[in-house]
Amino acid sequence: MAEIRIENVTKVFGDFVAVDDASITVRDQEFLVLLGPSGCGKTTLLRAVAGLGMADAGRIMIGDRDVTYARPGDRNISMVFQSYAIFPHMTVRENIGFGLKMNNASQGEITSNVEEAAELLHIGDLLDRRPNEMSGGQRQRVAVARALAMKAEVLLMDEPLSNLDALLRLEMRAELKRLLREVKATTIYVTHDQIEALSMGDRIAVMKDGLIQQVDEPSTVYAEPKNQFVGSFIGNPPMNFLRGKVHMASDSVAVAIGGSEIVPSPELRDAVSSFDGRAITLGIRAENMGALNAQEANTVRVQVDVVEPLGAQNLLTVRVGDDTLKVSTHPTFPVSPGDELWLKFPADQIRWIDPDSGEVIAGGTS
Amino acid sequence: MSTSNPSRRRSFTPYFLIAPTLVFLAAFFAWPMVQGLILAVHDDEALLPLVAVASVEGDRTGELSQGAAVEILGQQGNTVEGELTSDLLTEQWFRVTAVGTDGAAVDGWAPETRIRVRDEANDGTPLAGTVRPRLGEGAEPLTDVLAEPNERAEVTGSLDDRAEVEITQVTVLEVWFNVRGESNDGATIEGWAPSRFITTFESGEEGRVDRGSDGEFTLRFVERMFNDRFFSPALRTTLLLMAIILPLQFLLAIGMALIVHSRLKGGSGWLYIFSLPMGMSDLAVGILFFAIFTSNGLLNSILDLFGLIEEPQVFLSADTRGWIIGAIVLAELWRATSIVMVIIVSGLQAIPDETLEAAELFGATYWKRVRYIMLPLLKPSLLVALILRTILAFQVFAVVIALSGGEIVTVLANETFRQYFSLRNNNVASAYAVFILLLSLASSVFYLRIVRTQDELASR
Ligand SMILES: Nc1ncnc2c1ncn2[C@@H]1O[C@H](COP(=O)(O)OP(=O)(O)OP(=O)(O)O)[C@@H](O)[C@H]1O
Ligand SMILES: [Mg+2]
């Protein structure tokens, strides 16, 4: 039983706040991906969990134990460092077995665990090499194997696949996921690759500038981002954002965008109407818009700039006033650059965003 | 495992870059050093060659060793025409005319040592002078004038002190002696040699080869060194000091370096405190510790203060060699540990923080991190420090001098000094220097070998 509870953790370097009041609960045996752009504080938060660099405020619990002040070696965790941090003077075998040796495991256990971990990471034939005789990717796999061989309850991984080629990364991604399910470790996995996050995580914690933005399942984070940053950071292409202006129509509220009127879904009308007379941002994913040749209700007229055929879909870059949008259409839909189209915005796929705070406007408390 | 690749191109750029340095080293360092060190096996003045006629071109009749007794059979002054050869002793003789002691006119030759020139022509030719007075008791009162420019020539008259003379002719002579002596192989040989290589005794009939003009390679000085009664005590003490000091020093230095390393984040105060002794010369440290251990020194004052002794103890005397060794060990530890520490600290700082953090995370306690991570990664630094300290330990000198006066406890460097200064025995001093050099070299090679074989074993 190793639930990780990060409670209001803050870490400050001088007067720079690297992690700002972060709270995440990672459930027992869960695979949580910590996702965010470079420099947002992912490593710093992970190190705080590991006990390397004490948190300046807050509390960290592993299982039922408050480990805020426990030494790293006493937390029953293992970790893959972003810089690998493998021991240059030891062979791969000694590196992988180091944690077990320090914890006084029997020689037999060390040998079997080391070989098992090495097999998993396809470095079984490198066991007698030294780090300076290996490629960067091989070193990284040694670092992962070293962490796995410990069979600790908590596994912290700081971008463990960042140095592998695309193919190997794809393979390792699946393998690692299967593996972690097997070892039943509670895992925090740091990455800045959103595809990795979406495909591997049980849940994703999105971080920006030291602040946790959203912690949710991948599908939720993708479809229902909490704010404009999450929407723009996750998904390829990222979520589209359009400026509009809210005004009260005869019977209900409407948003003027590119000469058309978009009516919010019924449960959001109250929330949106509070913006009456002010600007609002509309967020929608490329695949959620319908492209039409004629005007309908809730459609906006757009100009096609670029057409990118991607096989399963065509990705259009279109213009609405000053904003550009990415729209994906079925490959059979006839379109060429310069055409005019009507885009349909299904009301239930639209995220309305407060342009001042960037927060997605929640559905009225209905 | 390095399979040599024959087609690999060699880069000469580094050699070009260091060429000026090599030339500089060769000209200003290696050459004089070789000149000095070769003294250990080469006696520059061992042999005096004798020649058949009194001329540098004469055929060799044999060689006499330095110090050999000779009979002086004759003497010859060769007139030097034109350029003087610097190789020979020359004498200037004046032909003088004057009124002699007996009132008669005298015309004859006198050496420059007897005549003071008082008047010269514009081109420097002496024209007139006076007879130098003879000083001292028992000196021959009168100056003889000779028929020829040769001390054995017939006396033609005598001059009073300070008599005025006219100089009519000047000649320069190379003086050669015809000598007979016993050569190294026991044969009696006879021949001519320039006079400056021979000391004559009072009688003028006998003399000794003062020094030779030919060198000879010899192990004499090396043997003299090995047979020197101070050699084995000096070697033993040097090795003993090394065996006590180095292990203690490295333990201390590693401890200090670990303290400095773990505190560096909080400030480098410890580093400054620990490296303070590096700023003091070894002689100063020796004197400092002398001041502590001397009979009215600090140690006695403290012992007295606590009432532990009745009267001042004598720590540094011939009867208390142990105390002197102890004091030297303390002084050397105090003085030279910091340099080892600085090398180790720099080695520690080269270890990435994350490496140590990883070890900590994987459950290594502090001591296990020291044992399994820091020490192995420090191996290159430790090796550098070990070689440096071993070489310096062979040279230990000033501290020993300060604490024992170089009499009671002696070390190799002190023997070098004694041979050179007190005994004026440059060759034996040089032999000691070469011995120290070889010991240093051998120890460095030894350490490097050990490390290499260890690495080979490890990578197997
Ligand atoms: N020891 C430190 N001293 C000062 N600032 C630091 C220190 N460590 C990290 N920072 C700063 O804290 C911020 C977060 O760093 P962190 O390493 O956690 O980023 P990250 O999210 O892991 O980025 P990346 O994806 O590039 O690894 C960065 O802006 C960094 O400059
Ligand atoms: Mg990082």
Side-chain angles (χ1 to χ4, degrees):
Chain A
M1 186 43 207
E3 179 187 73
I4 306 169
R5 288 222 303 281
I6 300 167
E7 296 175 358
N8 309 97
V9 166
T10 296
K11 176 76 194 180
V12 182
F13 294 114
D15 52 8
F16 175 78
V17 185
V19 174
D20 191 358
D21 197 25
S23 297
I24 307 176
T25 301
V26 190
R27 301 184 201 112
D28 184 30
Q29 297 181 29
E30 189 183 22
F31 190 109
L32 181 101
V33 175
L34 192 54
L35 177 69
S38 185
C40 70
K42 306 182 293 294
T43 300
T44 309
L45 181 57
L46 203 66
R47 285 170 55 87
V49 175
L52 307 167
M54 197 74 77
D56 294 307
R59 193 161 76 130
I60 293 167
M61 311 271 294
I62 294 180
D64 303 327
R65 213 152 69 88
D66 182 346
V67 295
T68 315
Y69 302 103
R71 288 185 300 145
D74 296 342
R75 297 186 180 204
N76 194 13
I77 51 179
S78 68
M79 180 164 171
V80 180
F81 286 79
Q82 189 169 8
S83 63
Y84 323 151
I86 50 180
F87 308 121
H89 58 293
M90 295 182 192
T91 59
V92 171
R93 189 188 301 280
E94 290 164 337
N95 259 291
I96 300 178
F98 184 80
L100 295 163
K101 185 171 163 192
M102 290 302 113
N103 288 302
N104 302 320
S106 73
Q107 193 57 50
E109 191 187 349
I110 295 179
T111 314
S112 68
N113 279 16
V114 166
E115 269 160 21
E116 188 186 354
E119 276 322 309
L120 281 169
L121 287 135
H122 307 303
I123 47 174
D125 50 345
L126 302 179
L127 279 176
D128 292 315
R129 296 247 191 117
R130 276 164 196 273
N132 59 2
E133 299 164 347
M134 292 189 294
S135 74
Q138 288 169 333
R139 284 180 220 182
Q140 194 162 38
R141 281 182 276 162
V142 172
V144 176
R146 180 177 66 179
L148 291 179
M150 280 279 279
K151 305 229 154 121
E153 285 188 319
V154 172
L155 194 51
L156 308 175
M157 300 190 158
D158 200 347
E159 312 203 9
L161 305 182
S162 60
N163 244 340
L164 306 184
D165 61 63
L167 208 64
L168 189 57
R169 189 183 313 185
L170 211 65
E171 185 189 332
M172 295 287 301
R173 215 192 270 164
E175 199 142 353
L176 208 55
K177 195 167 176 187
R178 179 183 59 74
L179 196 79
L180 291 175
R181 197 141 291 148
E182 259 169 41
V183 300
K184 294 195 166 64
T186 309
T187 307
I188 302 181
Y189 184 103
V190 167
T191 182
H192 55 231
D193 178 345
Q194 43 107 8
I195 308 265
E196 214 165 275
L198 290 172
S199 66
M200 293 177 84
D202 293 335
R203 284 191 303 156
I204 299 178
V206 184
M207 205 174 171
K208 184 202 176 199
D209 295 341
L211 285 164
I212 302 288
Q213 307 288 321
Q214 182 171 6
V215 186
D216 266 316
E217 279 160 25
S219 56
T220 314
V221 174
Y222 182 80
E224 292 165 36
K226 277 240 175 74
N227 57 36
Q228 188 167 353
F229 168 76
V230 176
S232 64
F233 192 71
I234 288 180
N236 186 21
M239 194 176 242
N240 295 300
F241 298 101
L242 284 173
R243 284 297 192 119
K245 195 157 180 209
V246 181
H247 64 95
M248 300 304 284
S250 52
D251 54 342
S252 79
V253 67
V255 182
I257 289 173
S260 301
E261 305 261 296
I262 308 283
V263 180
S265 63
E267 52 301 359
L268 287 174
R269 274 183 201 151
D270 286 350
V272 172
S273 60
S274 67
F275 283 80
D276 186 20
R278 290 192 284 137
I280 197 164
T281 304
L282 176 156
I284 191 158
R285 293 223 172 257
E287 66 275 21
N288 290 340
M289 285 173 279
L292 304 169
N293 290 317
Q295 181 164 22
E296 277 183 24
N298 268 353
T299 56
V300 176
R301 200 166 72 150
V302 298
Q303 175 104 31
V304 178
D305 267 357
V306 184
V307 179
E308 296 170 72
L310 300 178
Q313 62 184 46
N314 283 351
L315 189 63
L316 314 184
T317 306
V318 304
R319 250 200 339 234
V320 189
D322 295 337
D323 295 317
T324 45
L325 300 183
K326 298 273 187 188
V327 185
S328 61
T329 58
H330 199 267
T332 54
F333 181 77
V335 67
S336 51
D339 289 357
E340 292 215 328
L341 288 181
W342 295 89
L343 286 186
K344 187 173 174 60
F345 292 79
D348 57 340
Q349 301 291 356
I350 298 174
R351 309 288 152 228
W352 296 103
I353 297 164
D354 179 342
D356 297 326
S357 66
E359 293 298 314
V360 169
I361 298 162
T365 46
S366 58
Chain B
M1 277 191 290
S2 59
T3 48
S4 60
N5 183 350
S7 65
R8 209 183 78 198
R9 282 184 51 210
R10 288 189 60 183
S11 163
F12 288 102
T13 319
Y15 297 95
F16 288 131
L17 288 177
I18 61 167
T21 317
L22 286 182
V23 170
F24 175 82
L25 279 179
F28 297 102
F29 181 71
W31 178 240
M33 194 179 84
V34 168
Q35 291 290 297
L37 293 184
I38 210 158
L39 285 180
V41 289
H42 190 257
D43 187 347
D44 282 344
E45 306 175 338
L47 297 175
L48 179 65
L50 299 185
V51 288
V53 293
S55 152
V56 278
E57 268 111 47
D59 295 330
R60 271 192 185 217
T61 57
E63 288 107 19
L64 294 176
S65 303
Q66 186 182 20
V70 291
E71 267 177 85
I72 298 177
L73 308 171
Q75 179 176 3
Q76 180 180 329
N78 295 349
T79 310
V80 180
E81 312 279 347
E83 290 280 305
L84 294 179
T85 47
S86 61
D87 194 33
L88 295 164
L89 194 71
T90 56
E91 271 179 18
Q92 217 172 21
W93 284 70
F94 300 128
R95 181 162 189 179
V96 296
T97 52
V99 179
T101 314
D102 49 7
V106 180
D107 181 5
W109 293 89
E112 63 187 328
T113 49
R114 300 300 322 133
I115 309 290
R116 168 163 294 147
V117 176
R118 298 283 185 191
D119 191 14
E120 293 180 337
N122 284 343
D123 62 354
T125 315
L127 296 175
T130 54
V131 174
R132 290 177 199 259
R134 288 201 185 256
L135 301 174
E137 283 170 47
E140 181 68 40
L142 298 177
T143 296
D144 290 334
V145 177
L146 307 167
E148 280 168 34
N150 182 341
E151 276 183 1
R152 292 170 177 234
E154 190 192 332
V155 177
T156 56
S158 302
L159 297 176
D160 282 327
D161 287 352
R162 298 197 179 82
E164 299 205 347
V165 299
E166 218 175 294
I167 299 172
T168 56
Q169 200 181 342
V170 181
T171 186
V172 177
L173 299 178
E174 300 170 339
V175 182
W176 288 71
F177 286 147
N178 185 15
V179 296
R180 176 161 57 209
E182 205 169 291
S183 75
N184 267 343
D185 47 14
T188 300
I189 54 168
E190 207 182 300
W192 291 88
S195 59
R196 68 185 162 117
F197 294 115
I198 290 165
T199 331
T200 52
F201 299 149
E202 201 64 26
S203 67
E205 306 289 319
E206 267 157 30
R208 192 165 60 80
V209 176
D210 185 37
R211 57 207 165 90
S213 58
D214 257 14
E216 167 183 69
F217 282 96
T218 171
L219 288 178
R220 202 161 59 238
F221 305 118
V222 178
E223 272 164 31
R224 278 249 291 283
M225 172 187 76
F226 282 127
N227 295 332
D228 187 45
R229 70 187 196 289
F230 289 117
F231 174 79
S232 66
L235 179 61
R236 233 179 306 127
T237 313
T238 308
L239 293 179
L240 175 73
L241 285 175
M242 200 187 299
I244 301 176
I245 291 171
L246 288 195
L248 285 176
Q249 192 156 57
F250 272 75
L251 280 179
L252 266 176
I254 290 172
M256 281 152 65
L258 289 176
I259 292 175
V260 168
H261 183 65
S262 62
R263 298 292 153 83
L264 265 186
K265 287 142 202 160
S268 40
W270 285 102
L271 184 62
Y272 292 122
I273 293 173
F274 284 151
S275 46
L276 212 60
M278 273 199 296
M280 284 181 80
S281 83
D282 45 359
L283 186 60
V285 174
I287 292 170
L288 186 79
F289 274 77
F290 182 77
I292 293 174
F293 282 94
T294 191
S295 52
N296 51 4
L298 191 64
L299 184 57
N300 271 312
S301 312
I302 291 175
L303 290 178
D304 190 43
L305 192 70
F306 290 104
L308 296 173
I309 48 171
E310 300 282 298
E311 56 186 30
Q313 300 288 304
V314 179
F315 294 115
L316 305 175
S317 77
D319 303 330
T320 55
R321 264 186 102 245
W323 275 100
I324 296 183
I325 297 276
I328 294 173
V329 167
L330 280 181
E332 279 290 297
L333 284 181
W334 192 83
R335 183 183 76 82
T337 303
S338 41
I339 182 74
V340 181
M341 176 207 72
V342 167
I343 294 174
I344 296 177
V345 166
S346 75
L348 279 175
Q349 281 173 336
I351 301 177
D353 281 348
E354 287 213 332
T355 304
L356 296 175
E357 285 172 351
E360 188 179 0
L361 190 111
F362 284 109
T365 58
Y366 185 74
W367 290 117
K368 284 184 173 172
R369 292 203 292 281
V370 171
R371 160 95 178 68
Y372 291 108
I373 310 288
M374 296 193 209
L375 286 182
L377 289 177
L378 277 178
K379 212 156 82 174
S381 309
L382 288 172
L383 184 68
V384 167
L386 193 60
I387 289 179
L388 185 77
R389 274 303 298 145
T390 307
I391 290 175
L392 291 178
F394 280 123
Q395 299 170 3
V396 62
F397 177 57
V399 167
V400 179
I401 288 280
L403 287 169
S404 78
E407 302 292 332
I408 307 159
V409 172
T410 184
V411 287
L412 288 173
N414 182 39
E415 286 312 304
T416 317
F417 177 78
R418 186 210 307 278
Q419 292 287 348
Y420 188 78
F421 272 103
S422 312
L423 307 179
R424 308 237 160 233
N425 227 330
N426 300 3
N427 297 90
V428 181
S430 178
Y432 269 108
V434 169
F435 185 65
I436 294 174
L437 178 75
L438 290 179
L439 283 180
S440 307
L441 264 179
S443 62
S444 306
V445 170
F446 174 72
Y447 290 141
L448 290 171
R449 268 288 158 80
I450 286 190
V451 170
R452 207 171 58 197
T453 37
Q454 260 189 8
D455 283 352
E456 270 164 17
L457 285 180
S459 67
R460 198 147 288 164

